[in-house]
């Protein structure tokens, strides 16, 4: 891009250092932060510093429902992650896979977690609130199709 066009767009695009997708600014409940648009496959996130992603990768993972930080459970308790919003009513827990929380998806209908299930027609994603929420999604490459 020619030097003269440098200020043509006031909003600079920031790229994820891991997967090269764009980052987006998210208004989290704990304040703004930057998350990768490749979420949930890529869980890179940055703290927001003056409207820009900070230089340091935030090594903490975010809750797929409320965007608060996920906290790894004590070793004695088992290999899983739980939401730091637990006392605020977010009961998300995710299994630990090689030090990273398992991929989790949100029900588009009721905003609770989806769970992978085996039905007679194959694998699908059902709502964890079943039977009060009967939303279900077909599976493709281990993720729900919305
Ligand atoms: Zn990424
Ligand atoms: Zn949460
Ligand atoms: Zn649901």
């Amino acid at each position: 891009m020619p030097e003269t066009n440098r200020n043509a767009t006031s909003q600079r695009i920031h790229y994820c250092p891991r997967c090269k997708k764009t980052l987006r600014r998210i208004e989290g409940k704990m304040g703004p932060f930057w998350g990768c648009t490749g979420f949930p496959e890529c869980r890179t996130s940055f703290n927001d510093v003056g409207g820009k992603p900070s230089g340091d990768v935030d090594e903490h993972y975010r809750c797929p429902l409320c965007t608060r930080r996920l906290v790894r459970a004590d070793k004695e308790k088992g290999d899983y992650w739980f939401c730091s919003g637990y006392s605020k009513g977010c009961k998300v827990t995710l299994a630990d896979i090689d030090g990273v929380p398992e991929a989790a998806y949100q029900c588009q209908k009721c905003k609770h977690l989806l769970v992978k299930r085996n039905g007679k027609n194959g694998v699908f994603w059902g709502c964890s609130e079943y039977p009060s929420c009967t939303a279900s999604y077909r599976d493709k490459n281990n993720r729900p199709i919305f």
Side-chain angles (χ1 to χ4, degrees):
M1 200 185 273
E3 202 57 11
T4 46
N5 281 348
R6 254 178 70 180
N7 296 321
T9 48
S10 55
Q11 202 106 47
R12 259 200 71 191
I13 297 170
H14 302 280
Y15 293 94
C16 172
R18 287 193 186 146
C19 72
K20 310 295 179 215
K21 289 198 172 91
T22 52
L23 297 175
R24 66 189 179 104
R25 195 163 178 268
I26 299 162
E27 292 293 334
K29 296 218 170 82
M30 305 280 279
F33 68 98
W34 291 77
C36 181
T37 51
F39 183 88
E41 282 76 37
C42 176
R43 291 175 177 238
T44 301
S45 66
F46 294 92
N47 290 316
D48 181 82
V49 178
K52 293 192 194 111
S54 70
D56 305 317
V57 174
D58 183 355
E59 288 300 339
H60 294 90
Y61 300 97
R62 300 279 174 175
C63 173
L65 299 196
C66 72
T67 71
R68 288 186 184 92
R69 289 184 171 193
L70 291 172
V71 188
R72 203 170 175 174
D74 292 336
K75 274 263 174 290
E76 306 86 68
K77 290 185 185 150
D79 277 339
Y80 70 94
W81 295 72
F82 62 93
C83 180
S84 59
Y86 193 86
S87 60
K88 306 267 189 324
C90 182
K91 306 284 189 256
V92 167
T93 58
L94 297 171
D96 180 85
I97 297 168
D98 298 329
V100 176
E102 67 178 332
Y105 304 91
Q106 191 175 33
C107 175
Q108 305 288 291
K109 226 165 150 184
C110 72
K111 307 297 176 204
H112 284 89
L113 275 188
L114 293 176
V115 229
K116 209 164 136 190
R117 297 188 200 279
N118 275 305
K120 53 179 187 300
N121 295 319
V123 174
F124 70 98
W125 293 80
C127 185
S128 57
E129 293 302 291
Y130 182 86
S132 50
C133 174
T134 53
S136 73
Y137 305 89
R138 284 189 298 141
D139 176 83
K140 194 184 178 192
N141 299 329
N142 264 329
R143 51 182 301 183
I145 311 172
F146 295 120

